[in-house]
Amino acid sequence: MHVLVLGAGQLARMMSLAGAPLNIEISAYDVDSGNIVHPLTQSVIGNGLHNAIERADVITAEFEHIAHDILAICQQSGKFLPSADAIKAGGDRRLEKALLDKAGVRNANYYVITSRQDFDDAIEHVGLPMVLKSALGGYDGKGQWRLKQRDQIEAIWHEMEQCIAATDTQAIVAEEFVTFDREVSLVGARGKDGSVAVYPLAENVHTNGVLTLSTAIADTELQQQAKQMFTAVANSLEYVGVLALEFFDVDGTLLVNEIAPRVHNSGHWTQQGAETCQFENHLRAVCGLPLGSTKLIRSTAMINILGEDTLPPQVLAIGGCHIHWYGKEKRAGRKMGHINVCGDYNGELQRKLCQLAQILDKHAFPAVHEFAANFSE
């Protein structure tokens, strides 16, 4: 079985590693260069989308922001999963919101802005404070504004107007500001036969809008809510593959914040913490194979490595610590890899996170140090 992945980053890399034991070959299409590359070595093994499609049995994607003409070609081949519509919904907040409404799942009150009049109407409809997000592009905290007071309106509109004018298809989605207890996410898979398997919820910590720490949690009530909403969204899209839903936990009630139609950063913990990792389950789903067990096999957390290309070797001296590098060139703030840390039970995992705080740089790994400080109180 040969799977072509649109995108040649770390998610394609980890799909390749997960696919090898199943004899699933992975190649990656670099949407910027048009090259077909090996996802591990990044060596060029071909060129051109049509050539890549011809060789593939299945086509999938590792990210949402893909040109619509590329998606159309892949969809026309009859090989593309989950679907062009699913990828578009993950890359356009207007489509995402419409999907959530159609699926009947709770999300923040919103308003779409393409003009100054829309902005004024949004302020009245949504109210202050509000969060404003570009409909296209923008992630890891980029392309977003917070409007707290009316004296900020003109300055923020000036920036938003420039963003809207940048392309003919851009808009801003205004959302009510949700006061939440924590952010959680659910990663799950839906097979070709409609079967659904979801992983335990993960509690996520973000620093400056970027995920820094994700920990698998056990919460029966929230898990049930999350699975119901996951199933509603996945069935609405007739989805095939791994899908992630990000939530706000508001006093025990979940609101969907965003969806990601792909394997997801907050699911990397499944490589060591679950019986079948998210990358293998995505491949199983799109290749028409039975889904693997999503059972938690040990307490696990994932730590993002941002802007660092080395780690103290003492990290590997801690039992249950696994480093996953992405083979990227170092750049400030860039996701360079992640650490999965495991324990036989929650207390052991917590102690290992505290051990890591004594080893890892405070500025590079703020969430780990914050956890350790709170744990010791």
Side-chain angles (χ1 to χ4, degrees):
M1 183 73 75
H2 185 117
V3 176
L4 172 68
V5 179
L6 301 182
Q10 67 262 24
L11 302 182
R13 175 190 180 94
M14 287 182 275
M15 277 189 245
S16 181
L17 291 168
L22 294 176
N23 205 27
I24 297 174
E25 181 186 357
I26 309 292
S27 59
Y29 177 72
D30 187 326
V31 298
D32 295 321
S33 69
N35 288 330
I36 309 164
V37 303
H38 190 287
L40 297 180
T41 65
Q42 294 294 299
S43 58
V44 177
I45 55 178
N47 184 268
L49 181 58
H50 291 285
N51 291 332
I53 290 173
E54 188 176 346
R55 290 187 59 222
D57 297 301
V58 177
I59 308 165
T60 191
E62 69 154 10
F63 73 120
E64 307 92 306
H65 306 293
I66 299 170
H68 287 191
D69 58 338
I70 293 176
L71 292 176
I73 293 169
C74 292
Q75 188 69 40
Q76 190 175 14
S77 73
K79 301 177 180 181
F80 189 47
L81 294 170
S83 72
D85 286 343
I87 300 300
K88 289 176 184 177
D92 187 328
R93 287 189 172 89
R94 293 163 293 190
L95 297 177
E96 179 184 65
K97 284 292 190 179
L99 168 64
L100 295 174
D101 289 344
K102 178 185 175 183
V105 301
R106 292 183 296 271
N107 64 97
N109 187 25
Y110 69 97
Y111 201 92
V112 178
I113 299 168
T114 58
S115 68
R116 177 55 194 263
Q117 183 60 54
D118 289 338
F119 188 29
D120 292 338
D121 291 344
I123 292 170
E124 297 306 312
H125 180 76
V126 176
L128 300 184
M130 68 165 61
V131 178
L132 299 136
K133 303 175 182 178
S134 59
L136 301 171
Y139 60 94
D140 287 346
K142 302 178 179 67
Q144 299 186 9
W145 301 265
R146 286 191 179 186
L147 176 57
K148 298 179 180 179
Q149 299 174 332
R150 289 189 172 269
D151 60 9
Q152 299 175 293
I153 290 174
E154 295 305 323
I156 289 178
W157 169 247
H158 179 69
E159 293 183 19
M160 286 169 45
E161 187 177 31
Q162 291 179 316
C163 178
I164 293 170
T167 68
D168 294 336
T169 55
Q170 185 62 280
I172 305 295
V173 176
E175 294 182 350
E176 66 175 314
F177 182 83
V178 177
T179 302
F180 55 88
D181 300 317
R182 57 180 174 173
E183 295 178 82
V184 298
S185 60
L186 186 80
V187 172
R190 184 177 184 272
K192 284 186 175 181
D193 61 355
S195 59
V196 169
V198 301
Y199 293 95
L201 280 164
E203 182 172 348
N204 302 321
V205 177
H206 292 80
T207 305
N208 298 323
V210 182
L211 180 65
T212 46
L213 177 66
S214 190
T215 307
I217 61 171
D219 188 313
T220 303
E221 172 64 27
L222 289 187
Q223 185 77 24
Q224 184 177 9
Q225 287 186 48
K227 183 177 181 179
Q228 289 173 343
M229 288 190 271
F230 175 93
T231 304
V233 172
N235 286 344
S236 179
L237 284 168
E238 297 184 358
Y239 196 89
V240 177
V242 162
L243 170 72
L245 270 62
E246 299 180 64
F247 302 96
F248 295 133
D249 176 4
V250 183
D251 295 327
T253 297
L254 295 181
L255 294 179
V256 176
N257 179 32
E258 293 182 354
I259 70 168
R262 54 174 170 82
V263 288
H264 193 255
N265 194 182
S266 69
H268 291 355
W269 66 266
T270 62
Q271 290 171 303
Q272 269 74 46
E275 187 165 322
T276 311
C277 75
Q278 65 165 340
F279 303 101
E280 181 178 334
N281 256 336
H282 183 72
L283 293 174
R284 285 184 180 221
V286 299
C287 292
L289 301 172
L291 299 179
S293 170
T294 53
K295 180 182 178 181
L296 180 73
I297 56 174
R298 50 183 176 169
S299 299
T300 308
M302 186 280 303
I303 304 162
N304 266 336
I305 304 170
L306 304 174
E308 302 290 324
D309 59 359
T310 61
L311 288 176
Q314 299 96 304
V315 170
L316 290 176
I318 299 175
C321 282
H322 304 262
I323 302 173
H324 298 262
W325 290 110
Y326 303 156
K328 292 182 176 180
E329 183 177 342
K330 183 178 179 179
R331 191 171 68 213
R334 192 179 198 185
K335 290 179 181 176
M336 302 292 293
H338 65 273
I339 305 167
N340 282 340
V341 54
C342 308
D344 290 334
Y345 53 94
N346 284 338
E348 185 178 51
L349 172 61
Q350 292 165 348
R351 285 194 293 273
K352 288 181 179 180
L353 287 170
C354 292
Q355 283 182 269
L356 284 168
Q358 297 175 0
I359 297 170
L360 298 173
D361 181 79
K362 183 176 183 178
H363 299 290
F365 298 92
V368 179
H369 284 265
E370 182 179 351
F371 173 86
N374 293 335
F375 185 76
S376 62
E377 288 180 357

Coordinates of all heavy atoms in Angstrom, one line a residue, residues 21-55:
P21 N 5.9 -0.7 9.9 CA 5.6 -2.1 10.4 C 4.4 -2.7 9.7 O 4.2 -3.9 9.7 CB 5.3 -1.8 11.9 CG 6.0 -0.6 12.2 CD 5.9 0.3 11.0
L22 N 3.5 -1.9 9.1 CA 2.3 -2.4 8.4 C 2.6 -2.5 6.9 O 1.7 -2.8 6.2 CB 1.1 -1.4 8.6 CG 0.6 -1.3 10.1 CD1 -0.5 -0.2 10.1 CD2 0.0 -2.6 10.5
N23 N 3.8 -2.3 6.5 CA 4.2 -2.4 5.1 C 3.5 -1.3 4.3 O 3.1 -1.6 3.1 CB 4.0 -3.8 4.6 CG 4.8 -4.1 3.4 OD1 5.9 -3.5 3.2 ND2 4.4 -4.9 2.5
I24 N 3.2 -0.2 4.9 CA 2.6 1.0 4.2 C 3.7 1.9 3.9 O 4.4 2.5 4.8 CB 1.5 1.6 5.1 CG1 0.4 0.7 5.3 CG2 1.0 2.9 4.4 CD1 -0.7 1.2 6.3
E25 N 3.9 2.2 2.6 CA 5.0 3.1 2.1 C 4.4 4.5 2.1 O 3.3 4.7 1.6 CB 5.4 2.7 0.7 CG 6.6 3.5 0.2 CD 6.9 3.2 -1.2 OE1 6.3 2.2 -1.8 OE2 7.8 3.9 -1.8
I26 N 5.2 5.5 2.5 CA 4.7 6.9 2.6 C 5.6 7.7 1.7 O 6.9 7.6 1.8 CB 4.7 7.4 4.0 CG1 4.0 6.5 5.0 CG2 4.2 8.9 4.0 CD1 2.5 6.5 4.8
S27 N 5.1 8.5 0.8 CA 5.8 9.6 0.2 C 5.1 10.9 0.5 O 3.9 10.9 0.8 CB 5.9 9.4 -1.3 OG 4.6 9.3 -1.9
A28 N 5.8 12.0 0.4 CA 5.3 13.3 0.8 C 5.4 14.3 -0.4 O 6.4 14.3 -1.1 CB 6.0 13.9 2.0
Y29 N 4.3 15.0 -0.7 CA 4.3 16.0 -1.7 C 4.5 17.4 -1.1 O 3.6 17.8 -0.3 CB 3.0 16.0 -2.5 CG 2.8 17.0 -3.6 CD1 3.6 16.9 -4.7 CD2 2.0 18.1 -3.4 CE1 3.5 17.9 -5.7 CE2 1.9 19.1 -4.4 CZ 2.7 19.0 -5.5 OH 2.6 19.9 -6.5
D30 N 5.6 18.1 -1.4 CA 5.8 19.4 -0.9 C 5.0 20.4 -1.7 O 5.3 20.6 -2.9 CB 7.3 19.7 -1.0 CG 7.7 21.0 -0.4 OD1 6.9 22.0 -0.4 OD2 8.8 21.1 0.1
V31 N 4.0 20.9 -1.1 CA 3.0 21.8 -1.9 C 3.7 23.1 -2.4 O 3.1 23.7 -3.3 CB 1.8 22.1 -1.1 CG1 1.0 20.8 -0.7 CG2 2.1 22.9 0.2
D32 N 4.8 23.5 -1.8 CA 5.5 24.7 -2.2 C 6.4 24.5 -3.4 O 6.4 25.3 -4.3 CB 6.3 25.3 -1.0 CG 5.4 25.7 0.1 OD1 4.3 26.3 -0.2 OD2 5.8 25.5 1.3
S33 N 7.2 23.4 -3.4 CA 8.2 23.2 -4.4 C 7.6 22.3 -5.5 O 8.2 22.3 -6.7 CB 9.4 22.5 -3.8 OG 9.1 21.2 -3.4
G34 N 6.6 21.5 -5.2 CA 6.1 20.5 -6.2 C 6.9 19.3 -6.3 O 6.6 18.4 -7.1
N35 N 7.8 19.1 -5.4 CA 8.7 17.9 -5.3 C 8.0 16.8 -4.5 O 7.3 17.1 -3.5 CB 10.0 18.2 -4.7 CG 10.9 19.0 -5.6 OD1 10.8 18.9 -6.8 ND2 11.8 19.8 -5.0
I36 N 8.2 15.6 -4.9 CA 7.8 14.4 -4.1 C 9.1 14.0 -3.3 O 10.1 13.8 -3.9 CB 7.4 13.3 -5.0 CG1 6.3 13.7 -6.0 CG2 6.8 12.1 -4.2 CD1 6.1 12.8 -7.2
V37 N 9.0 14.0 -2.0 CA 10.1 13.7 -1.2 C 9.9 12.5 -0.3 O 8.8 12.1 0.0 CB 10.5 14.9 -0.3 CG1 10.8 16.2 -1.2 CG2 9.5 15.3 0.7
H38 N 11.0 11.9 0.2 CA 11.0 10.9 1.2 C 10.7 11.6 2.5 O 11.5 12.5 2.9 CB 12.3 10.1 1.2 CG 12.2 8.9 2.1 ND1 12.1 8.9 3.5 CD2 12.1 7.5 1.8 CE1 12.1 7.7 4.0 NE2 12.0 6.9 3.0
P39 N 9.7 11.2 3.3 CA 9.4 12.0 4.5 C 10.4 12.0 5.6 O 10.4 12.8 6.5 CB 8.0 11.4 5.0 CG 8.0 10.0 4.3 CD 8.7 10.1 3.0
L40 N 11.3 11.0 5.6 CA 12.3 10.9 6.6 C 13.6 11.6 6.2 O 14.2 12.4 6.9 CB 12.6 9.4 7.0 CG 11.5 8.6 7.6 CD1 11.9 7.2 7.9 CD2 11.0 9.3 8.8
T41 N 14.1 11.3 5.0 CA 15.4 11.8 4.5 C 15.2 13.2 3.8 O 16.2 13.9 3.7 CB 16.0 10.9 3.5 OG1 15.2 10.8 2.3 CG2 16.2 9.5 4.2
Q42 N 14.0 13.5 3.4 CA 13.7 14.7 2.6 C 14.4 14.7 1.2 O 14.4 15.7 0.6 CB 14.1 16.0 3.4 CG 13.3 16.2 4.6 CD 11.8 16.5 4.3 OE1 11.5 17.5 3.7 NE2 10.9 15.7 4.8
S43 N 14.9 13.6 0.8 CA 15.5 13.5 -0.5 C 14.4 13.5 -1.6 O 13.3 12.9 -1.4 CB 16.3 12.2 -0.6 OG 15.6 11.1 -0.4
V44 N 14.7 14.2 -2.7 CA 13.7 14.3 -3.8 C 13.6 13.0 -4.5 O 14.6 12.4 -5.0 CB 14.0 15.4 -4.7 CG1 13.0 15.5 -5.9 CG2 14.0 16.8 -4.0
I45 N 12.4 12.4 -4.6 CA 12.2 11.1 -5.3 C 11.3 11.3 -6.5 O 11.0 10.3 -7.2 CB 11.7 10.0 -4.4 CG1 10.4 10.5 -3.7 CG2 12.7 9.7 -3.3 CD1 9.7 9.5 -2.8
G46 N 10.9 12.5 -6.9 CA 10.1 12.7 -8.0 C 9.6 14.2 -8.0 O 10.0 15.0 -7.2
N47 N 8.8 14.5 -9.0 CA 8.3 15.9 -9.1 C 6.9 15.8 -9.8 O 6.7 15.0 -10.7 CB 9.3 16.7 -9.9 CG 8.8 18.2 -10.0 OD1 8.1 18.6 -10.9 ND2 9.2 18.9 -9.0
G48 N 6.0 16.7 -9.3 CA 4.7 16.9 -10.0 C 3.6 16.1 -9.3 O 3.8 15.0 -8.9
L49 N 2.5 16.8 -9.1 CA 1.4 16.3 -8.3 C 0.8 15.1 -9.1 O 0.4 14.1 -8.5 CB 0.3 17.4 -8.1 CG -0.9 16.9 -7.3 CD1 -0.5 16.4 -5.9 CD2 -1.9 18.1 -7.2
H50 N 0.6 15.2 -10.4 CA 0.0 14.1 -11.1 C 0.8 12.9 -11.1 O 0.2 11.8 -11.0 CB -0.2 14.6 -12.6 CG -1.3 15.7 -12.7 ND1 -2.6 15.4 -12.6 CD2 -1.1 17.0 -12.9 CE1 -3.3 16.5 -12.8 NE2 -2.4 17.5 -13.0
N51 N 2.1 13.0 -11.1 CA 3.0 11.8 -11.0 C 2.8 11.2 -9.6 O 2.8 10.0 -9.5 CB 4.5 12.2 -11.2 CG 4.8 12.6 -12.6 OD1 4.1 12.1 -13.5 ND2 5.7 13.4 -12.8
A52 N 2.7 12.0 -8.6 CA 2.6 11.5 -7.2 C 1.3 10.8 -7.1 O 1.2 9.7 -6.4 CB 2.7 12.7 -6.2
I53 N 0.2 11.4 -7.6 CA -1.1 10.8 -7.5 C -1.2 9.4 -8.2 O -1.7 8.4 -7.7 CB -2.2 11.7 -8.1 CG1 -2.4 12.9 -7.2 CG2 -3.5 11.0 -8.3 CD1 -3.3 14.0 -7.7
E54 N -0.5 9.4 -9.4 CA -0.5 8.1 -10.2 C 0.1 7.0 -9.4 O -0.4 5.8 -9.5 CB 0.2 8.3 -11.5 CG 0.1 7.2 -12.5 CD 0.7 7.5 -13.8 OE1 1.0 8.6 -14.1 OE2 1.0 6.5 -14.6
R55 N 1.1 7.2 -8.6 CA 1.8 6.2 -7.9 C 1.1 5.8 -6.6 O 1.3 4.7 -6.1 CB 3.2 6.7 -7.5 CG 4.2 6.8 -8.6 CD 5.6 7.1 -8.0 NE 6.0 6.1 -7.1 CZ 6.7 6.3 -5.9 NH1 6.9 7.5 -5.5 NH2 7.0 5.3 -5.2

